[in-house]
Amino acid sequence: MNFLIMLIVGGIAGWLASMVMRTDGQQGVILNVIVGIIGGFLGGFLLPMVGLSFGGWIGYLVTALIGAIVLLAIVNLFRRGRVR
């Protein structure tokens, strides 16, 4: 059940990050879920290093959203040469 919740929260975070970074039209639902899950791991690794930590499923969503935005910014930087 925890894996299913992680997929749902990751999908929502990936979709929200793609809306924030204006890349929603370029990627589909599967890529949004993948970006959200990888962003969750990235955010879970980076945010405690700067002294931030969130709890609960809303905290996981915020963490995954921040990580997914950072991940999309890095991808856009390498793909287009600018963050956008």
Side-chain angles (χ1 to χ4, degrees):
M1 188 58 113
N2 198 15
F3 182 72
L4 181 62
I5 292 171
M6 185 177 72
L7 286 177
I8 292 170
V9 170
I12 293 169
W15 175 70
L16 288 173
S18 68
M19 297 292 277
V20 169
M21 297 298 291
R22 297 184 190 121
T23 60
D24 191 44
Q26 301 170 0
Q27 57 193 34
V29 175
I30 303 288
L31 194 57
N32 281 343
V33 172
I34 292 170
V35 165
I37 291 171
I38 293 173
F41 288 123
L42 182 66
F45 176 71
L46 292 177
L47 288 181
M49 292 175 73
V50 261
L52 295 174
S53 91
F54 302 104
W57 71 271
I58 294 178
Y60 296 140
L61 179 65
V62 170
T63 302
L65 178 64
I66 293 170
I69 288 172
V70 169
L71 181 65
L72 285 175
I74 292 169
V75 167
N76 284 340
L77 185 66
F78 283 111
R79 193 185 313 169
R80 292 188 186 91
R82 59 188 166 108
V83 175
R84 190 182 218 198

